[in-house]
Amino acid sequence: AIYAAPRTGAHMILGPVYRKWEELGRAGGPFGLPVTDTRTIEGTRLQFSDFEHGAIYSHPVLGTHPVPEPVLLLWDHYDRHRGPLGRVTTDLLAGTAGEHQEFEYGTVTANPALGIHAVWGPIFDYWASQSREDGTYGFPVSDVYAVDADHDRCDFQNGSLMLDKTTGAVTQV
């Protein structure tokens, strides 16, 4: 389909991205009008379109998933599919006290009181092995961040996890 509006211009939405957008109510749904054509990432089978209030990504193996605006803004900050989170693998999921969206190498978690934060890599793997937000550490209160050239850290409600990039070890701090 080609959709055109004065505030967004004319954009062509194709294939699985179009079908998901249609399922979500098209222009009258939560994502609004398209602001880009459906694009295919060179050298991959990953397709996406950006909309007024999010994006929809599609991959034949990972599926087609809407990424709502708050998650997209954070994921975009980390260079979307090229960044540390990788490609989106689920729709937004309801959790115990918030929502989260899964990616190849981590998650973006939103809690009304604590905000929206990204956790990825070995720190995510360790936190997930401890039952994530339902476990010892609770919800993240920061994104993963560099402490120095050899260490990354993420802060949670009930403690912090540190990655030693030289050994791959994750420890509580």
Side-chain angles (χ1 to χ4, degrees):
I2 296 175
Y3 276 76
R7 71 178 185 267
T8 59
H11 299 287
M12 184 171 27
I13 308 303
L14 304 170
V17 171
Y18 173 76
R19 287 189 293 279
K20 180 59 82 170
W21 183 55
E22 183 178 47
E23 179 185 309
L24 294 168
R26 293 187 288 201
F31 283 71
L33 289 164
V35 296
T36 68
D37 293 342
T38 298
R39 300 175 181 168
T40 300
I41 306 300
E42 190 174 331
T44 74
R45 296 181 295 168
L46 185 64
Q47 293 184 317
F48 75 98
S49 290
D50 286 344
F51 296 85
E52 291 176 296
H53 305 293
I56 297 174
Y57 273 74
S58 183
H59 186 273
V61 174
L62 301 173
T64 303
H65 304 290
V67 182
E69 190 170 28
V71 174
L72 181 63
L73 291 173
L74 186 59
W75 189 38
D76 191 51
H77 175 76
Y78 291 110
D79 206 19
R80 295 192 189 196
H81 59 277
R82 294 173 299 277
L85 288 161
R87 297 173 294 187
V88 62
T89 61
T90 69
D91 292 3
L92 191 64
L93 304 166
T96 54
E99 300 171 314
H100 62 274
Q101 190 150 18
E102 301 301 301
F103 295 82
E104 288 178 295
Y105 311 118
T107 191
V108 172
T109 300
N111 175 287
L114 302 171
I116 184 166
H117 299 288
V119 184
W120 63 78
I123 290 175
F124 169 76
D125 294 339
Y126 185 88
W127 177 59
S129 76
Q130 304 297 307
S131 299
R132 298 172 57 135
E133 51 275 315
D134 293 328
T136 304
Y137 297 99
F139 279 90
V141 296
S142 77
D143 298 347
V144 173
Y145 61 94
V147 174
D148 56 40
D150 295 327
H151 298 91
D152 285 347
R153 176 177 170 156
C154 189
D155 303 318
F156 298 87
Q157 287 176 293
N158 304 315
S160 298
L161 295 173
M162 179 94 68
L163 168 65
D164 183 328
K165 293 190 270 185
T166 61
T167 66
V170 175
T171 56
Q172 182 176 350
V173 292

